[in-house]
PDB file of all heavy atoms in Angstrom:
ATOM      1  N   PRO A 209      29.447  23.380  13.052  1.00 91.00           N
ATOM      2  CA  PRO A 209      29.805  24.612  13.639  1.00 91.00           C
ATOM      3  C   PRO A 209      28.715  25.261  14.560  1.00 91.00           C
ATOM      4  O   PRO A 209      27.466  25.009  14.341  1.00 91.00           O
ATOM      5  CB  PRO A 209      30.124  25.609  12.379  1.00 91.00           C
ATOM      6  CG  PRO A 209      29.503  24.975  11.316  1.00 91.00           C
ATOM      7  CD  PRO A 209      29.285  23.451  11.596  1.00 91.00           C
ATOM      8  N   ASP A 210      29.129  26.009  15.517  1.00 90.00           N
ATOM      9  CA  ASP A 210      28.237  26.838  16.367  1.00 90.00           C
ATOM     10  C   ASP A 210      27.438  26.076  17.435  1.00 90.00           C
ATOM     11  O   ASP A 210      26.733  26.695  18.285  1.00 90.00           O
ATOM     12  CB  ASP A 210      27.321  27.695  15.621  1.00 90.00           C
ATOM     13  CG  ASP A 210      27.948  28.549  14.572  1.00 90.00           C
ATOM     14  OD1 ASP A 210      29.101  29.177  14.917  1.00 90.00           O
ATOM     15  OD2 ASP A 210      27.548  28.763  13.477  1.00 90.00           O
ATOM     16  N   ILE A 246      20.872  17.201   8.088  1.00 97.00           N
ATOM     17  CA  ILE A 246      20.073  18.387   8.281  1.00 97.00           C
ATOM     18  C   ILE A 246      18.651  18.060   7.767  1.00 97.00           C
ATOM     19  O   ILE A 246      18.388  17.839   6.579  1.00 97.00           O
ATOM     20  CB  ILE A 246      20.572  19.572   7.542  1.00 97.00           C
ATOM     21  CG1 ILE A 246      22.174  19.730   7.824  1.00 97.00           C
ATOM     22  CG2 ILE A 246      19.869  20.885   7.988  1.00 97.00           C
ATOM     23  CD1 ILE A 246      22.710  20.880   6.920  1.00 97.00           C
ATOM     24  N   ASN A 252      16.248  23.434  14.146  1.00 89.00           N
ATOM     25  CA  ASN A 252      17.523  23.989  13.708  1.00 89.00           C
ATOM     26  C   ASN A 252      17.301  25.415  13.067  1.00 89.00           C
ATOM     27  O   ASN A 252      18.304  25.993  12.619  1.00 89.00           O
ATOM     28  CB  ASN A 252      18.315  23.134  12.794  1.00 89.00           C
ATOM     29  CG  ASN A 252      17.511  22.474  11.785  1.00 89.00           C
ATOM     30  OD1 ASN A 252      16.404  22.951  11.445  1.00 89.00           O
ATOM     31  ND2 ASN A 252      17.972  21.363  11.299  1.00 89.00           N
ATOM     32  N   SER A 255      19.852  28.072  14.595  1.00 82.00           N
ATOM     33  CA  SER A 255      21.251  27.922  14.177  1.00 82.00           C
ATOM     34  C   SER A 255      21.270  28.173  12.711  1.00 82.00           C
ATOM     35  O   SER A 255      22.353  28.781  12.220  1.00 82.00           O
ATOM     36  CB  SER A 255      21.805  26.476  14.457  1.00 82.00           C
ATOM     37  OG  SER A 255      21.161  25.546  13.664  1.00 82.00           O
ATOM     38  N   PHE A 256      20.257  28.006  11.928  1.00 87.00           N
ATOM     39  CA  PHE A 256      20.282  28.378  10.480  1.00 87.00           C
ATOM     40  C   PHE A 256      20.444  29.891  10.288  1.00 87.00           C
ATOM     41  O   PHE A 256      21.130  30.309   9.452  1.00 87.00           O
ATOM     42  CB  PHE A 256      18.919  27.968   9.868  1.00 87.00           C
ATOM     43  CG  PHE A 256      18.884  26.589   9.426  1.00 87.00           C
ATOM     44  CD1 PHE A 256      19.797  25.687   9.539  1.00 87.00           C
ATOM     45  CD2 PHE A 256      17.714  26.112   8.759  1.00 87.00           C
ATOM     46  CE1 PHE A 256      19.703  24.326   9.203  1.00 87.00           C
ATOM     47  CE2 PHE A 256      17.534  24.814   8.203  1.00 87.00           C
ATOM     48  CZ  PHE A 256      18.497  23.949   8.510  1.00 87.00           C
ATOM     49  N   MET A 257      19.799  30.636  11.194  1.00 86.00           N
ATOM     50  CA  MET A 257      19.853  32.072  11.068  1.00 86.00           C
ATOM     51  C   MET A 257      20.942  32.780  11.687  1.00 86.00           C
ATOM     52  O   MET A 257      21.180  34.001  11.542  1.00 86.00           O
ATOM     53  CB  MET A 257      18.451  32.635  11.642  1.00 86.00           C
ATOM     54  CG  MET A 257      17.202  32.160  10.961  1.00 86.00           C
ATOM     55  SD  MET A 257      17.225  32.344   9.158  1.00 86.00           S
ATOM     56  CE  MET A 257      17.110  34.072   8.966  1.00 86.00           C
ATOM     57  N   GLU A 258      21.804  31.983  12.367  1.00 81.00           N
ATOM     58  CA  GLU A 258      23.000  32.484  12.913  1.00 81.00           C
ATOM     59  C   GLU A 258      23.878  33.163  11.940  1.00 81.00           C
ATOM     60  O   GLU A 258      24.276  32.469  10.949  1.00 81.00           O
ATOM     61  CB  GLU A 258      23.769  31.362  13.755  1.00 81.00           C
ATOM     62  CG  GLU A 258      24.846  31.795  14.646  1.00 81.00           C
ATOM     63  CD  GLU A 258      24.246  32.346  15.918  1.00 81.00           C
ATOM     64  OE1 GLU A 258      22.957  32.417  16.181  1.00 81.00           O
ATOM     65  OE2 GLU A 258      25.081  32.798  16.690  1.00 81.00           O
ATOM     66  N   HIS A 260      23.118  35.144   9.608  1.00 83.00           N
ATOM     67  CA  HIS A 260      22.453  35.303   8.238  1.00 83.00           C
ATOM     68  C   HIS A 260      21.441  36.416   8.329  1.00 83.00           C
ATOM     69  O   HIS A 260      20.718  36.517   9.287  1.00 83.00           O
ATOM     70  CB  HIS A 260      21.777  33.982   7.805  1.00 83.00           C
ATOM     71  CG  HIS A 260      22.673  32.983   7.376  1.00 83.00           C
ATOM     72  ND1 HIS A 260      23.233  32.900   6.115  1.00 83.00           N
ATOM     73  CD2 HIS A 260      23.290  31.920   8.092  1.00 83.00           C
ATOM     74  CE1 HIS A 260      24.109  31.870   6.073  1.00 83.00           C
ATOM     75  NE2 HIS A 260      24.145  31.319   7.198  1.00 83.00           N
ATOM     76  N   LEU A 264      14.471  32.774   6.128  1.00 92.00           N
ATOM     77  CA  LEU A 264      14.759  31.397   6.555  1.00 92.00           C
ATOM     78  C   LEU A 264      14.662  30.452   5.336  1.00 92.00           C
ATOM     79  O   LEU A 264      15.656  29.599   5.189  1.00 92.00           O
ATOM     80  CB  LEU A 264      13.658  30.999   7.526  1.00 92.00           C
ATOM     81  CG  LEU A 264      13.777  29.545   8.039  1.00 92.00           C
ATOM     82  CD1 LEU A 264      15.086  29.232   8.876  1.00 92.00           C
ATOM     83  CD2 LEU A 264      12.554  29.172   9.010  1.00 92.00           C
ATOM     84  N   GLU A 265      13.814  30.684   4.362  1.00 93.00           N
ATOM     85  CA  GLU A 265      13.733  29.843   3.103  1.00 93.00           C
ATOM     86  C   GLU A 265      14.960  30.044   2.388  1.00 93.00           C
ATOM     87  O   GLU A 265      15.478  28.975   1.872  1.00 93.00           O
ATOM     88  CB  GLU A 265      12.479  30.246   2.321  1.00 93.00           C
ATOM     89  CG  GLU A 265      11.206  29.687   2.915  1.00 93.00           C
ATOM     90  CD  GLU A 265      11.127  28.249   3.494  1.00 93.00           C
ATOM     91  OE1 GLU A 265      11.654  27.416   2.645  1.00 93.00           O
ATOM     92  OE2 GLU A 265      10.876  27.959   4.544  1.00 93.00           O
ATOM     93  N   GLU A 266      15.553  31.245   2.259  1.00 94.00           N
ATOM     94  CA  GLU A 266      16.761  31.318   1.421  1.00 94.00           C
ATOM     95  C   GLU A 266      17.927  30.654   2.083  1.00 94.00           C
ATOM     96  O   GLU A 266      18.738  30.062   1.462  1.00 94.00           O
ATOM     97  CB  GLU A 266      17.101  32.856   1.355  1.00 94.00           C
ATOM     98  CG  GLU A 266      16.270  33.480   0.193  1.00 94.00           C
ATOM     99  CD  GLU A 266      16.323  35.049   0.247  1.00 94.00           C
ATOM    100  OE1 GLU A 266      16.433  35.594   1.392  1.00 94.00           O
ATOM    101  OE2 GLU A 266      16.257  35.666  -0.785  1.00 94.00           O
ATOM    102  N   VAL A 267      17.974  30.747   3.480  1.00 93.00           N
ATOM    103  CA  VAL A 267      19.009  30.056   4.270  1.00 93.00           C
ATOM    104  C   VAL A 267      18.851  28.603   4.030  1.00 93.00           C
ATOM    105  O   VAL A 267      20.061  27.930   3.815  1.00 93.00           O
ATOM    106  CB  VAL A 267      19.020  30.507   5.715  1.00 93.00           C
ATOM    107  CG1 VAL A 267      20.131  29.799   6.497  1.00 93.00           C
ATOM    108  CG2 VAL A 267      19.294  31.932   5.812  1.00 93.00           C
ATOM    109  N   LYS A 268      17.701  28.145   4.097  1.00 94.00           N
ATOM    110  CA  LYS A 268      17.553  26.556   3.823  1.00 94.00           C
ATOM    111  C   LYS A 268      18.023  26.124   2.610  1.00 94.00           C
ATOM    112  O   LYS A 268      18.749  25.149   2.567  1.00 94.00           O
ATOM    113  CB  LYS A 268      16.022  26.258   4.061  1.00 94.00           C
ATOM    114  CG  LYS A 268      15.512  26.170   5.445  1.00 94.00           C
ATOM    115  CD  LYS A 268      14.083  25.679   5.442  1.00 94.00           C
ATOM    116  CE  LYS A 268      13.437  25.869   6.773  1.00 94.00           C
ATOM    117  NZ  LYS A 268      12.080  25.392   6.897  1.00 94.00           N
ATOM    118  N   LYS A 269      17.791  26.958   1.554  1.00 94.00           N
ATOM    119  CA  LYS A 269      18.344  26.543   0.214  1.00 94.00           C
ATOM    120  C   LYS A 269      19.832  26.480   0.207  1.00 94.00           C
ATOM    121  O   LYS A 269      20.429  25.635  -0.443  1.00 94.00           O
ATOM    122  CB  LYS A 269      17.784  27.642  -0.810  1.00 94.00           C
ATOM    123  CG  LYS A 269      16.426  27.308  -1.438  1.00 94.00           C
ATOM    124  CD  LYS A 269      16.132  28.268  -2.536  1.00 94.00           C
ATOM    125  CE  LYS A 269      14.677  28.320  -2.715  1.00 94.00           C
ATOM    126  NZ  LYS A 269      14.190  29.581  -3.355  1.00 94.00           N
ATOM    127  N   GLU A 270      20.452  27.504   0.848  1.00 93.00           N
ATOM    128  CA  GLU A 270      21.920  27.590   0.964  1.00 93.00           C
ATOM    129  C   GLU A 270      22.429  26.310   1.741  1.00 93.00           C
ATOM    130  O   GLU A 270      23.448  25.629   1.295  1.00 93.00           O
ATOM    131  CB  GLU A 270      22.263  28.841   1.683  1.00 93.00           C
ATOM    132  CG  GLU A 270      23.697  29.367   1.412  1.00 93.00           C
ATOM    133  CD  GLU A 270      24.000  29.552   0.035  1.00 93.00           C
ATOM    134  OE1 GLU A 270      23.087  30.062  -0.859  1.00 93.00           O
ATOM    135  OE2 GLU A 270      25.077  29.143  -0.306  1.00 93.00           O
ATOM    136  N   LYS A 271      21.734  25.939   2.911  1.00 93.00           N
ATOM    137  CA  LYS A 271      22.277  24.861   3.634  1.00 93.00           C
ATOM    138  C   LYS A 271      22.180  23.581   2.910  1.00 93.00           C
ATOM    139  O   LYS A 271      22.935  22.706   3.149  1.00 93.00           O
ATOM    140  CB  LYS A 271      21.382  24.804   4.980  1.00 93.00           C
ATOM    141  CG  LYS A 271      21.564  25.986   5.981  1.00 93.00           C
ATOM    142  CD  LYS A 271      22.729  25.822   6.762  1.00 93.00           C
ATOM    143  CE  LYS A 271      22.985  27.076   7.686  1.00 93.00           C
ATOM    144  NZ  LYS A 271      24.203  27.137   8.352  1.00 93.00           N
ATOM    145  N   ALA A 272      21.151  23.483   2.112  1.00 96.00           N
ATOM    146  CA  ALA A 272      20.827  22.299   1.323  1.00 96.00           C
ATOM    147  C   ALA A 272      22.063  21.931   0.477  1.00 96.00           C
ATOM    148  O   ALA A 272      22.275  20.713   0.229  1.00 96.00           O
ATOM    149  CB  ALA A 272      19.614  22.426   0.499  1.00 96.00           C
ATOM    150  N   LYS A 273      22.803  22.916  -0.020  1.00 96.00           N
ATOM    151  CA  LYS A 273      23.982  22.650  -0.853  1.00 96.00           C
ATOM    152  C   LYS A 273      24.994  21.919  -0.263  1.00 96.00           C
ATOM    153  O   LYS A 273      25.864  21.341  -0.999  1.00 96.00           O
ATOM    154  CB  LYS A 273      24.387  24.019  -1.379  1.00 96.00           C
ATOM    155  CG  LYS A 273      23.477  24.751  -2.307  1.00 96.00           C
ATOM    156  CD  LYS A 273      24.064  26.028  -2.839  1.00 96.00           C
ATOM    157  CE  LYS A 273      23.062  26.884  -3.511  1.00 96.00           C
ATOM    158  NZ  LYS A 273      23.362  28.271  -3.586  1.00 96.00           N
ATOM    159  N   VAL A 274      25.103  21.777   1.060  1.00 94.00           N
ATOM    160  CA  VAL A 274      26.211  21.104   1.709  1.00 94.00           C
ATOM    161  C   VAL A 274      26.024  19.551   1.393  1.00 94.00           C
ATOM    162  O   VAL A 274      26.935  18.727   1.756  1.00 94.00           O
ATOM    163  CB  VAL A 274      26.479  21.347   3.153  1.00 94.00           C
ATOM    164  CG1 VAL A 274      26.665  22.810   3.397  1.00 94.00           C
ATOM    165  CG2 VAL A 274      25.261  20.911   4.046  1.00 94.00           C
ATOM    166  N   ASN A 275      24.818  19.121   1.166  1.00 96.00           N
ATOM    167  CA  ASN A 275      24.545  17.694   1.057  1.00 96.00           C
ATOM    168  C   ASN A 275      24.701  17.281  -0.375  1.00 96.00           C
ATOM    169  O   ASN A 275      24.183  17.865  -1.313  1.00 96.00           O
ATOM    170  CB  ASN A 275      23.136  17.424   1.468  1.00 96.00           C
ATOM    171  CG  ASN A 275      22.843  17.762   2.931  1.00 96.00           C
ATOM    172  OD1 ASN A 275      23.598  17.470   3.699  1.00 96.00           O
ATOM    173  ND2 ASN A 275      21.808  18.507   3.184  1.00 96.00           N
ATOM    174  N   LEU A 278      21.799  17.523  -2.314  1.00 97.00           N
ATOM    175  CA  LEU A 278      21.375  18.915  -2.664  1.00 97.00           C
ATOM    176  C   LEU A 278      20.030  19.360  -2.157  1.00 97.00           C
ATOM    177  O   LEU A 278      19.332  20.163  -2.808  1.00 97.00           O
ATOM    178  CB  LEU A 278      21.544  19.187  -4.116  1.00 97.00           C
ATOM    179  CG  LEU A 278      22.934  19.123  -4.655  1.00 97.00           C
ATOM    180  CD1 LEU A 278      22.890  19.321  -6.187  1.00 97.00           C
ATOM    181  CD2 LEU A 278      23.883  20.152  -4.031  1.00 97.00           C
ATOM    182  N   ARG A 279      19.678  18.754  -1.032  1.00 97.00           N
ATOM    183  CA  ARG A 279      18.363  19.203  -0.441  1.00 97.00           C
ATOM    184  C   ARG A 279      18.439  18.795   1.030  1.00 97.00           C
ATOM    185  O   ARG A 279      19.315  18.048   1.471  1.00 97.00           O
ATOM    186  CB  ARG A 279      17.136  18.541  -1.099  1.00 97.00           C
ATOM    187  CG  ARG A 279      17.078  17.007  -0.958  1.00 97.00           C
ATOM    188  CD  ARG A 279      15.739  16.452  -1.566  1.00 97.00           C
ATOM    189  NE  ARG A 279      15.734  15.062  -1.492  1.00 97.00           N
ATOM    190  CZ  ARG A 279      15.445  14.300  -0.496  1.00 97.00           C
ATOM    191  NH1 ARG A 279      14.988  14.845   0.658  1.00 97.00           N
ATOM    192  NH2 ARG A 279      15.246  12.973  -0.561  1.00 97.00           N
ATOM    193  N   LEU A 280      17.508  19.445   1.872  1.00 97.00           N
ATOM    194  CA  LEU A 280      17.346  19.003   3.283  1.00 97.00           C
ATOM    195  C   LEU A 280      16.594  17.681   3.282  1.00 97.00           C
ATOM    196  O   LEU A 280      15.859  17.463   2.419  1.00 97.00           O
ATOM    197  CB  LEU A 280      16.719  20.104   4.026  1.00 97.00           C
ATOM    198  CG  LEU A 280      17.231  21.485   4.013  1.00 97.00           C
ATOM    199  CD1 LEU A 280      16.572  22.413   5.023  1.00 97.00           C
ATOM    200  CD2 LEU A 280      18.775  21.528   4.475  1.00 97.00           C
ATOM    201  N   TYR A 312      25.975  13.585   3.501  1.00 97.00           N
ATOM    202  CA  TYR A 312      26.830  14.603   4.065  1.00 97.00           C
ATOM    203  C   TYR A 312      28.080  14.082   4.650  1.00 97.00           C
ATOM    204  O   TYR A 312      29.120  14.641   4.504  1.00 97.00           O
ATOM    205  CB  TYR A 312      25.995  15.279   5.267  1.00 97.00           C
ATOM    206  CG  TYR A 312      26.747  16.425   5.979  1.00 97.00           C
ATOM    207  CD1 TYR A 312      26.891  17.616   5.389  1.00 97.00           C
ATOM    208  CD2 TYR A 312      27.263  16.192   7.285  1.00 97.00           C
ATOM    209  CE1 TYR A 312      27.547  18.694   6.083  1.00 97.00           C
ATOM    210  CE2 TYR A 312      27.910  17.149   7.957  1.00 97.00           C
ATOM    211  CZ  TYR A 312      28.043  18.504   7.340  1.00 97.00           C
ATOM    212  OH  TYR A 312      28.627  19.440   8.056  1.00 97.00           O
TER     213      TYR A 312
END
Side-chain angles (χ1 to χ4, degrees):
D210 304 322
I246 313 176
N252 40 26
S255 65
F256 276 3
M257 296 313 286
E258 196 72 4
H260 285 277
L264 180 61
E265 284 315 307
E266 280 167 330
V267 177
K268 280 184 186 177
K269 272 189 204 152
E270 202 54 41
K271 296 277 175 190
K273 290 181 190 159
V274 302
N275 299 314
L278 296 176
R279 63 176 177 83
L280 302 185
Y312 181 77

